[in-house]
Amino acid sequence: MTSAPAWWQRGAIYQIYPRSFADSDGDGVGDLRGIRAHLDHLSDLGVEAVWLSPIYPSPMADFGYDVADYCNVDPLFGTLADLDHLIDDCHARGIRVVLDWVPNHTSDQHPWFVASRSSRHDPRRDWYVWRDGAPDGGPPNDWSSSFRAAGPAWTFDEHTGQWYLHSFLAQQPDLNWDNPEVEEAMHGVLRFWLDRGVDGFRIDVVFKIAKDPLLRDNAGAARRHDEDWDTIDDRLRGIRRVVDEYPGRMIVGEVYLLDLSRVVSYSSGGDRLHMAHNFVFVLLPWSAQAFRTSIGDFEALAGATVWPAWFLANHDHSRVASRYNDDAQGAARARAIALLLYALRGTPFIYQGEELGLPDAVIPPQRMVDIDGRDPERAPIPWRPPSSAGPAAGFSTGEPWLPLGADAERLCVERQAADALSTLVLVRRLAALRARTPALQMGSLRMLETGADVLAWLREGDDDRVLAAVNFASVAVPLRLPADLARTAILLLSTAPGRAEAEVDLTAFRLGPSEAVLLRL
Ligand code: GLC
């Protein structure tokens, strides 16, 4: 028998990038009141939870992923009271709230780091990673920042004559998780928010909180020394113990490792994460074979006990409609991807704007603000047609911090909500279908052999069988199913605009270009 799902297994978790969601006060940057004013959008999408990218006080060198105070809200986004109201309003609608917890590094303006850099003898000195330089006067080892443009992962601090480690920007010094006081303090941050009623955390670069304490070079080594060190297991267990002090909470980690067995291990055993974001998936080319292999590999490692988190877009990656835009199929492919995410075994993570099929925005060079080229996928959400709402498309009454993408007139929420064939309405229908179809929530998954162009799988529940199929070709193709499957089915939903629910003959069923379907067998 399939078991009853936890809330985080039932439906989608929707990622809000607060700067770009909705601006309530006209300063051009989205805020918490803006989110509260658009909760109908989330209810209509049937999301189980929202994950908010960081809303804490921050100098914004990395747009909030440089935290200066873990237990407050940046005035740009509002106040702690605004967040409490947002949590209450979401809960009243049955929507959970997940915060982004950034344990690997703070801002260089965080009081911990200000103290740490003040003197070699400060009690907080060892809360960060300080070392003498190499004998040649260079940095202590060969580690580099994850941001290519930032160069080495070390910055020399004149005042105390040592180097400090930063896996990202120099304004994001890495905390020293080998120091138990740091671990304790960061657990305290979790408790602060859990006590306030948040339902869980997305854990930023969680694989980075365990590094080789000997700080050995990466070059020539069999494995990387600057992440995913053996100490990770205990650290994950420690985090999980804190979260488990509170009933019904969930943690999902950003595990940007390309070895799937490592990714799966982060959420195995029932005592680590509930879910781990799988980045292998985000890097896949548009190919049925590539998707089949990747999903199959993950499922084989996961078995029945590890619950997958599927996503194909976030605030760090090109949007699906642009990434897969060969052959002018971007819009159709974005629709197919939405179906795929809702129909796999696991939790779909939907990045704001993907439900609209938005492409990346074109950012003129003088408006670029991110060091790592991630502005295009962070452009503000178009809510209303510019022809009636002005150039910021209902996102703001002021000048948006990033320019909006093209075609806000056609792609905005208001227009799509009024168009039964839009991507927005399709995603709402997908969410509703999943919500009333136990096989799509907790059913088993079996990949089918359906040729080079078509990815197809079965979801089987207690007395329900749903078949999902995605055509990766840009031409129509027949759906060739294994002979032992039923010959007729009910077409529940298609991503092809206008193709209606109907009984279909599977022996003669064809998928249109980039079309995806759900069929009840
Ligand atoms: C994660 C975030 C990214 C941020 C980085 C450093 O990868 O998703 O936006 O820049 O961590 O915190």
Side-chain angles (χ1 to χ4, degrees):
M1 224 183 72
T2 44
S3 52
W7 63 264
W8 45 271
Q9 296 177 308
R10 268 196 305 256
I13 298 183
Y14 183 88
Q15 182 192 355
I16 292 182
Y17 191 70
R19 295 183 71 86
S20 301
F21 191 67
D23 171 21
S24 72
D25 60 8
D27 66 358
V29 177
D31 47 46
L32 296 177
R33 286 176 184 226
I35 299 172
R36 275 178 80 201
H38 288 85
L39 294 183
D40 283 346
H41 180 63
L42 305 176
S43 293
D44 292 343
L45 272 175
V47 305
E48 286 294 334
V50 291
W51 143 31
L52 305 182
S53 278
I55 39 75
Y56 319 108
S58 165
M60 303 289 168
D62 191 19
F63 302 104
Y65 284 94
D66 46 325
V67 180
D69 176 357
Y70 286 107
C71 300
N72 212 331
V73 170
D74 195 283
L76 198 58
F77 297 126
T79 63
L80 209 43
D82 289 328
L83 184 60
D84 288 338
H85 292 314
L86 175 62
I87 294 172
D88 288 346
D89 288 359
C90 284
H91 285 173
R93 291 168 180 258
I95 298 172
R96 305 310 206 273
V97 178
V98 172
L99 295 185
D100 212 317
W101 183 55
V102 188
N104 177 68
H105 45 267
T106 68
S107 160
D108 62 346
Q109 304 301 309
H110 194 293
W112 297 343
F113 188 71
V114 173
S116 184
R117 89 186 317 176
S118 70
S119 140
R120 291 196 186 202
H121 310 291
D122 188 273
R124 296 249 195 270
R125 182 66 167 182
D126 186 50
W127 281 42
Y128 294 82
V129 185
W130 291 97
R131 286 294 184 284
D132 293 334
D136 69 357
N141 69 16
D142 71 351
W143 298 358
S144 44
S145 161
S146 300
F147 298 140
R148 191 164 303 173
W154 296 93
T155 289
F156 185 70
D157 191 57
E158 294 284 345
H159 178 60
T160 55
Q162 282 191 312
W163 300 72
Y164 68 89
L165 178 68
H166 51 86
S167 295
F168 296 89
L169 296 174
Q171 296 96 318
Q172 293 167 295
D174 281 28
L175 284 162
N176 175 17
W177 272 76
D178 292 326
N179 181 336
E181 287 174 18
V182 167
E183 185 162 19
E184 197 46 43
M186 291 307 290
H187 287 178
V189 172
L190 293 173
R191 289 196 182 92
F192 174 85
W193 291 112
L194 290 165
D195 285 335
R196 277 194 114 80
V198 313
D199 299 284
F201 303 93
R202 175 265 190 180
I203 310 183
D204 189 66
V205 295
V206 65
F207 60 105
K208 287 269 179 201
I209 64 169
K211 306 179 184 86
D212 177 4
L214 301 177
L215 302 181
R216 285 169 287 189
D217 282 352
N218 278 328
R223 58 179 291 191
R224 284 183 69 149
H225 289 259
D226 58 349
E227 61 191 36
D228 191 33
W229 202 249
D230 306 343
T231 40
I232 192 68
D233 287 320
D234 283 342
R235 289 184 190 160
L236 295 175
R237 289 195 189 102
I239 294 164
R240 177 63 175 263
R241 272 197 298 275
V242 174
V243 172
D244 279 350
E245 291 166 12
Y246 301 76
R249 315 299 166 101
M250 180 281 303
I251 43 178
V252 54
E254 181 192 21
V255 185
Y256 203 135
L257 300 172
L258 300 183
D259 174 349
L260 280 181
S261 65
R262 292 300 308 141
V263 177
V264 166
S265 78
Y266 274 63
S267 57
S268 64
D271 60 353
R272 291 169 236 197
L273 307 176
H274 294 90
M275 295 183 277
H277 280 142
N278 164 11
F279 284 80
V280 175
F281 209 54
V282 176
L283 304 176
L284 294 178
W286 184 256
S287 143
Q289 193 51 51
F291 273 76
R292 184 179 300 122
T293 305
S294 186
I295 294 164
D297 287 352
F298 194 92
E299 282 287 329
L301 289 163
T305 51
V306 169
W307 185 255
W310 298 110
F311 77 105
L312 278 161
N314 70 17
H315 63 296
D316 298 328
H317 293 273
S318 184
R319 287 189 175 279
V320 166
S322 295
R323 184 156 13 114
Y324 294 134
N325 192 23
D326 282 7
D327 216 8
Q329 294 284 325
R333 290 177 179 180
R335 293 165 72 91
I337 284 296
L339 183 143
L340 174 132
L341 291 173
Y342 277 89
L344 286 174
R345 187 187 80 94
T347 298
F349 280 76
I350 307 294
Y351 175 50
Q352 68 180 37
E354 290 295 295
E355 76 279 21
L356 304 173
L358 294 185
D360 290 334
V362 176
I363 312 291
Q366 69 278 11
R367 295 289 303 270
M368 291 180 185
V369 289
D370 179 49
I371 184 172
D372 208 32
R374 299 169 294 182
D375 300 320
E377 59 265 26
R378 297 177 176 180
I381 295 298
W383 291 98
R384 294 165 50 220
S387 57
S388 60
F395 164 71
S396 173
T397 53
E399 169 78 13
W401 73 288
L402 279 176
L404 274 83
D407 223 359
E409 191 72 22
R410 190 174 58 88
L411 293 173
C412 68
V413 173
E414 189 178 290
R415 275 287 161 77
Q416 293 205 36
D419 173 4
L421 303 183
S422 69
T423 299
L424 174 59
V425 172
L426 171 77
V427 176
R428 288 179 181 174
R429 289 173 59 214
L430 278 167
L433 183 61
R434 177 168 167 134
R436 61 170 187 269
T437 310
L440 285 179
Q441 295 175 30
M442 298 304 280
S444 62
L445 178 141
R446 175 151 62 99
M447 299 301 292
L448 301 174
E449 273 309 322
T450 43
D453 291 324
V454 176
L455 177 72
W457 65 98
L458 273 182
R459 297 296 310 280
E460 293 175 287
D462 291 336
D463 40 31
D464 199 17
R465 285 215 299 179
V466 175
L467 176 108
V470 182
N471 178 14
F472 280 72
S474 301
V475 294
V477 298
L479 175 62
R480 291 188 218 285
L481 293 170
D484 60 328
L485 286 182
R487 302 181 74 81
T488 58
I490 307 290
L491 176 63
L492 296 172
L493 193 150
S494 160
T495 60
R499 188 159 178 175
E501 191 170 321
E503 185 167 317
V504 296
D505 174 3
L506 285 180
T507 60
F509 191 78
R510 290 175 73 79
L511 291 162
S514 308
E515 183 185 9
V517 294
L518 289 173
L519 298 151
R520 172 163 283 127
L521 299 185

XYZ file of all heavy atoms in Angstrom, residues 286 329 331-343 426 429-430 433 453-457 467-473 477 479 491-497 499 509-519:
404
model
N 18.726 18.666 -23.825
C 17.350 18.319 -24.219
C 17.388 16.992 -24.978
O 17.510 16.958 -26.205
C 16.746 19.421 -25.074
C 15.317 19.157 -25.433
C 14.849 18.727 -26.637
C 14.188 19.276 -24.573
N 13.485 18.568 -26.568
C 13.050 18.908 -25.310
C 14.028 19.660 -23.239
C 11.766 18.906 -24.777
C 12.747 19.658 -22.706
C 11.645 19.283 -23.470
N 11.392 26.000 -29.994
C 10.486 25.150 -29.224
C 10.476 25.522 -27.745
O 9.921 24.794 -26.928
C 10.917 23.669 -29.351
C 10.779 23.083 -30.735
C 9.335 22.770 -31.082
O 8.565 22.378 -30.229
N 8.976 22.966 -32.331
N 8.969 27.554 -25.685
C 7.715 27.633 -24.922
C 7.105 26.247 -24.749
O 6.672 25.871 -23.655
C 6.739 28.565 -25.621
N 7.087 25.465 -25.828
C 6.505 24.117 -25.753
C 7.326 23.237 -24.812
O 6.785 22.444 -24.040
C 6.444 23.496 -27.142
N 8.636 23.390 -24.865
C 9.495 22.579 -23.994
C 9.308 22.968 -22.529
O 9.327 22.110 -21.650
C 10.956 22.725 -24.419
C 11.231 22.043 -25.745
C 12.659 22.260 -26.189
N 12.902 21.566 -27.457
C 14.065 21.583 -28.092
N 15.082 22.276 -27.600
N 14.213 20.938 -29.222
N 9.114 24.251 -22.267
C 8.887 24.678 -20.882
C 7.600 24.047 -20.352
O 7.515 23.648 -19.186
C 8.820 26.201 -20.800
N 6.595 23.928 -21.198
C 5.337 23.300 -20.781
C 5.562 21.806 -20.506
O 5.059 21.253 -19.522
C 4.269 23.484 -21.870
C 3.841 24.942 -22.050
C 3.069 25.147 -23.344
N 1.730 24.576 -23.334
C 0.622 25.232 -22.965
N 0.710 26.480 -22.547
N -0.549 24.637 -22.998
N 6.323 21.176 -21.391
C 6.595 19.744 -21.209
C 7.367 19.498 -19.906
O 7.103 18.551 -19.164
C 7.377 19.205 -22.405
N 8.319 20.398 -19.628
C 9.119 20.266 -18.405
C 8.232 20.407 -17.164
O 8.402 19.707 -16.166
C 10.251 21.316 -18.397
C 11.366 20.901 -19.358
C 10.787 21.540 -16.989
C 12.086 19.635 -19.000
N 7.258 21.305 -17.228
C 6.358 21.468 -16.076
C 5.636 20.147 -15.815
O 5.559 19.687 -14.668
C 5.361 22.594 -16.346
N 5.153 19.524 -16.861
C 4.454 18.247 -16.679
C 5.402 17.205 -16.083
O 5.051 16.482 -15.141
C 3.873 17.759 -18.003
C 3.061 16.464 -17.921
C 1.860 16.507 -18.869
C 3.909 15.220 -18.206
N 6.604 17.163 -16.623
C 7.579 16.194 -16.130
C 7.822 16.365 -14.624
O 7.802 15.396 -13.856
C 8.875 16.366 -16.929
C 10.093 15.570 -16.517
C 10.707 14.917 -17.744
C 11.145 16.437 -15.857
N 8.000 17.611 -14.195
C 8.307 17.844 -12.781
C 7.157 17.396 -11.873
O 7.383 16.828 -10.803
C 8.609 19.324 -12.535
C 9.910 19.840 -13.152
C 10.016 21.349 -12.984
C 11.126 19.166 -12.526
N 5.914 17.653 -12.297
C 4.769 17.274 -11.469
C 4.498 15.773 -11.511
O 3.779 15.254 -10.659
C 3.511 18.044 -11.895
C 3.418 19.423 -11.288
C 3.974 20.515 -11.931
C 2.811 19.625 -10.053
C 3.899 21.789 -11.373
C 2.729 20.879 -9.483
C 3.276 21.957 -10.145
O 3.209 23.209 -9.587
N 5.024 15.084 -12.525
C 4.655 13.677 -12.701
C 5.740 12.694 -12.289
O 5.489 11.487 -12.244
C 4.258 13.426 -14.153
N -2.046 25.815 -17.505
C -1.554 24.430 -17.580
C -0.934 24.002 -16.242
O -1.223 22.917 -15.725
C -0.513 24.303 -18.696
C 0.232 22.965 -18.727
C -0.648 21.883 -19.327
C 1.541 23.081 -19.506
N -3.470 23.377 -13.673
C -4.160 22.099 -13.900
C -3.277 20.926 -13.477
O -3.753 19.939 -12.908
C -4.556 21.972 -15.376
C -5.695 22.923 -15.777
C -5.960 22.898 -17.268
N -6.307 21.558 -17.732
C -5.981 21.064 -18.927
N -5.289 21.797 -19.778
N -6.351 19.855 -19.257
N -1.981 21.038 -13.736
C -1.057 19.977 -13.316
C -1.080 19.813 -11.804
O -1.122 18.694 -11.277
C 0.371 20.324 -13.755
C 0.736 19.992 -15.190
C 2.044 20.672 -15.567
C 0.855 18.478 -15.354
N -4.325 18.258 -10.706
C -4.383 16.840 -11.057
C -3.535 16.015 -10.090
O -3.956 14.965 -9.598
C -3.898 16.658 -12.503
C -3.960 15.244 -13.063
C -5.404 14.734 -13.067
C -3.404 15.216 -14.500
N 13.163 9.210 -28.985
C 12.642 10.560 -28.828
C 11.717 10.740 -27.634
O 11.443 11.857 -27.218
C 11.848 10.961 -30.084
C 12.742 11.133 -31.289
O 13.879 11.623 -31.096
O 12.330 10.764 -32.397
N 11.177 9.626 -27.139
C 10.102 9.746 -26.151
C 10.562 9.233 -24.785
O 11.093 8.129 -24.665
C 8.843 8.977 -26.606
C 7.764 9.017 -25.522
C 8.317 9.569 -27.903
N 10.357 10.073 -23.784
C 10.601 9.679 -22.402
C 9.236 9.322 -21.807
O 8.307 10.126 -21.872
C 11.201 10.863 -21.651
C 11.465 10.677 -20.159
C 12.656 9.750 -19.956
C 11.746 12.032 -19.504
N 9.111 8.112 -21.258
C 7.810 7.728 -20.704
C 8.009 6.921 -19.435
O 8.994 6.198 -19.289
C 7.010 6.915 -21.725
N 7.094 7.098 -18.509
C 7.174 6.347 -17.267
C 5.782 6.120 -16.711
O 4.832 6.823 -17.054
C 8.072 7.046 -16.253
C 7.589 8.381 -15.774
C 6.925 8.667 -14.628
C 7.770 9.658 -16.436
N 6.667 10.007 -14.522
C 7.169 10.642 -15.614
C 8.373 10.056 -17.638
C 7.163 11.994 -15.957
C 8.355 11.408 -17.982
C 7.753 12.350 -17.149
N 0.237 7.069 -16.830
C 1.392 7.035 -17.719
C 1.735 8.463 -18.120
O 0.848 9.237 -18.496
C 1.040 6.228 -18.976
C 2.134 6.186 -20.027
C 2.764 4.819 -20.062
C 1.625 6.548 -21.399
N 3.008 8.806 -18.013
C 3.466 10.126 -18.462
C 4.383 9.916 -19.651
O 5.189 8.981 -19.666
C 4.227 10.826 -17.341
N 4.246 10.769 -20.652
C 5.128 10.676 -21.820
C 5.486 12.074 -22.303
O 4.639 12.974 -22.321
C 4.439 9.896 -22.936
N 6.761 12.239 -22.671
C 7.263 13.522 -23.162
C 7.949 13.283 -24.498
O 8.851 12.436 -24.590
C 8.294 14.137 -22.178
C 8.771 15.495 -22.685
C 7.729 14.250 -20.773
N 7.543 14.023 -25.506
C 8.187 13.922 -26.813
C 9.314 14.947 -26.900
O 9.066 16.156 -26.922
C 7.155 14.164 -27.919
C 7.791 14.130 -29.302
O 8.922 13.677 -29.459
N 7.063 14.617 -30.295
N 10.547 14.480 -26.970
C 11.693 15.397 -27.071
C 11.958 15.825 -28.514
O 12.811 16.676 -28.756
C 12.943 14.758 -26.454
C 12.966 14.857 -24.952
C 12.108 14.095 -24.161
C 13.851 15.727 -24.310
C 12.121 14.193 -22.778
C 13.870 15.832 -22.915
C 12.999 15.069 -22.153
N 11.259 15.227 -29.463
C 11.458 15.609 -30.863
C 10.645 16.859 -31.191
O 9.628 17.128 -30.552
C 11.043 14.469 -31.782
N 5.524 12.332 -33.231
C 6.018 10.941 -33.269
C 4.954 10.026 -32.652
O 4.174 10.451 -31.800
C 7.335 10.753 -32.464
C 8.461 11.594 -33.033
C 7.134 11.071 -30.997
N 3.577 7.191 -30.136
C 3.950 6.716 -28.797
C 3.995 5.184 -28.851
O 2.965 4.528 -28.967
C 2.904 7.186 -27.777
C 3.070 6.694 -26.339
C 4.382 7.181 -25.738
C 1.905 7.181 -25.474
N -6.903 10.282 -21.767
C -5.954 11.396 -21.790
C -6.390 12.391 -20.724
O -7.451 13.012 -20.825
C -5.952 12.057 -23.175
C -5.067 13.296 -23.311
C -3.608 12.972 -23.085
C -5.263 13.939 -24.679
N -5.605 12.512 -19.664
C -5.972 13.399 -18.551
C -5.567 14.835 -18.831
O -6.255 15.774 -18.461
C -5.272 12.938 -17.273
C -5.636 11.555 -16.726
C -4.712 11.186 -15.576
C -7.090 11.544 -16.273
N -4.407 14.972 -19.464
C -3.875 16.319 -19.656
C -2.775 16.273 -20.710
O -1.974 15.334 -20.734
C -3.310 16.790 -18.321
C -2.967 18.259 -18.150
C -3.138 18.662 -16.701
C -1.546 18.499 -18.579
N -2.788 17.280 -21.557
C -1.730 17.414 -22.561
C -1.178 18.830 -22.484
O -1.891 19.768 -22.150
C -2.302 17.181 -23.958
O -1.429 17.751 -24.926
N 0.122 18.958 -22.827
C 0.700 20.307 -22.852
C 0.434 20.998 -24.185
O 0.744 22.174 -24.335
C 2.221 20.254 -22.616
O 2.816 19.472 -23.657
C 2.545 19.650 -21.256
N -0.106 20.272 -25.153
C -0.432 20.888 -26.450
C -1.704 21.710 -26.270
O -2.731 21.170 -25.866
C -0.631 19.821 -27.510
N -1.621 23.020 -26.550
C -2.789 23.868 -26.312
C -4.012 23.312 -27.047
O -3.944 22.995 -28.232
C -2.368 25.224 -26.889
C -0.882 25.200 -26.905
C -0.490 23.770 -27.111
N -5.655 20.425 -26.757
C -5.936 18.989 -26.831
C -6.700 18.580 -25.570
O -6.191 18.679 -24.457
C -4.643 18.194 -26.941
C -4.870 16.720 -27.227
C -3.602 16.136 -27.815
N -3.732 14.717 -28.079
C -2.799 13.997 -28.686
N -1.685 14.569 -29.087
N -2.962 12.706 -28.894
N -1.713 6.288 -30.952
C -1.554 7.594 -30.306
C -0.267 8.274 -30.768
O 0.806 7.677 -30.767
C -1.545 7.419 -28.788
C -1.653 8.708 -28.035
C -2.875 9.351 -27.904
C -0.530 9.291 -27.470
C -2.975 10.559 -27.211
C -0.621 10.488 -26.770
C -1.853 11.111 -26.645
N -0.376 9.527 -31.151
C 0.805 10.296 -31.567
C 0.987 11.503 -30.650
O 0.012 12.116 -30.218
C 0.645 10.785 -33.009
C 0.710 9.661 -34.021
C 0.424 10.174 -35.425
N 1.511 10.952 -35.999
C 2.610 10.422 -36.545
N 2.767 9.113 -36.562
N 3.552 11.189 -37.048
N 2.239 11.792 -30.371
C 2.578 12.984 -29.587
C 3.008 14.085 -30.544
O 3.822 13.845 -31.439
C 3.741 12.673 -28.640
C 3.455 11.724 -27.480
C 4.769 11.170 -26.917
C 2.680 12.451 -26.388
N 2.493 15.287 -30.327
C 2.912 16.418 -31.156
C 4.330 16.865 -30.810
O 4.939 16.371 -29.862
N 4.877 17.828 -31.565
C 6.226 18.334 -31.290
C 6.350 18.824 -29.847
O 5.525 19.631 -29.407
C 6.383 19.504 -32.267
C 5.335 19.296 -33.317
C 4.226 18.509 -32.689
N 7.317 18.326 -29.114
C 7.568 18.730 -27.715
C 6.324 18.591 -26.828
O 6.230 19.247 -25.792
C 8.077 20.172 -27.626
O 9.179 20.355 -28.472
N 5.412 17.741 -27.204
C 4.207 17.562 -26.385
C 4.467 16.568 -25.244
O 5.211 15.592 -25.405
C 3.044 17.028 -27.253
C 1.739 16.904 -26.462
C 0.587 16.265 -27.243
O 0.826 15.759 -28.354
O -0.543 16.272 -26.721
N 3.854 16.834 -24.113
C 3.881 15.881 -23.005
C 2.443 15.601 -22.587
O 1.585 16.490 -22.660
C 4.671 16.450 -21.833
N 2.194 14.371 -22.153
C 0.824 13.980 -21.783
C 0.816 13.155 -20.504
O 1.810 12.517 -20.138
C 0.149 13.129 -22.898
C -0.075 13.941 -24.160
C 0.951 11.869 -23.184
N -0.334 13.172 -19.852
C -0.613 12.250 -18.753
C -1.841 11.444 -19.138
O -2.869 12.011 -19.530
C -0.884 13.018 -17.455
C 0.328 13.685 -16.827
C -0.100 14.551 -15.648
C 1.349 12.641 -16.386
N -1.714 10.123 -19.050
C -2.793 9.212 -19.455
C -3.134 8.300 -18.285
O -2.238 7.799 -17.603
C -2.320 8.340 -20.630
C -1.947 9.073 -21.924
C -0.891 8.294 -22.690
C -3.184 9.280 -22.790
